[in-house]
Structure formats: structure tokens, C-alpha cells
Amino acid sequence: MLDVILNYKTLLENLHIYIEESKFKKEHIINELGVSRATFYNKLKKRSFSIPEMVKLSTLLFPEDAKAFEIKQALERSRKDSAAGRVLKHESVMSDARKRISR
């Protein structure tokens, strides 16, 4: 658990660098967070972003990691569904796919 905390600390300490190096302009990041410009810079200076804001920032700044996490979560849900017997037959899935494509 200590490694998670230390990694988070490092993330907060280097957040300004990640923002500078990102492909996004600061205005875009500020708009995505839904905060004022002054609030953004204040939070950046004080390292006081909320957890939902950090999730949003991480998704913007590290899109590959966010996509990998999303895929990992989807696979875990699939495994749980399969283990619980919540599965569809191949024929049913293919039939539904064909219907969607033909629309």
C-alpha cells in the first residue's frame, strides 16, 4: 500500500510537468475539469485536486493507460459473468450483430 501512496505523491509532484508535456492546451484541460482558470492554478500549486479531478486528469494526460485500465476492467467483468453463467450463445450474438449492421 505504501507504494501506491508514494506513486500518488510522485504523480502530484510532477503533475505540472505532465500537463506541460501533454498534447492538450491548458485551457482544454481546465474546461474538461469544469473549474475556473484561477481554481485550476490554485489546485495545481497546492496539489489539491479531488479524486474525481485526478481521474479526469489521468485520463487526459495518460490516454493509453486509461484505455488499458478500461480493457482490464471489461475483461474482469467478462470473467465474472462467465463464471456466474451469464453468457450468450454465439449464434445469438452473431444474429444481433447482423441486425445492427443491416440498419
Side-chain angles (χ1 to χ4, degrees), residues 40-81:
F40 172 78
Y41 284 104
N42 191 32
K43 287 181 175 233
L44 189 59
K45 180 181 176 184
K46 293 181 179 180
R47 300 178 183 139
S48 62
F49 289 101
S50 68
I51 298 299
E53 290 168 337
M54 286 301 294
V55 169
K56 186 68 169 176
L57 280 169
S58 294
T59 302
L60 288 169
L61 300 174
F62 309 105
E64 296 87 9
D65 292 344
K67 187 49 106 175
F69 180 78
E70 215 175 279
I71 292 169
K72 185 178 175 183
Q73 294 296 101
L75 285 171
E76 186 59 35
R77 284 191 306 273
S78 294
R79 286 186 187 109
K80 287 180 181 177
D81 284 344

Side-chain angles (χ1 to χ4, degrees), residues 88-97:
L88 298 173
K89 292 188 177 198
H90 176 72
E91 296 81 19
S92 172
V93 173
M94 293 305 292
S95 175
D96 288 346

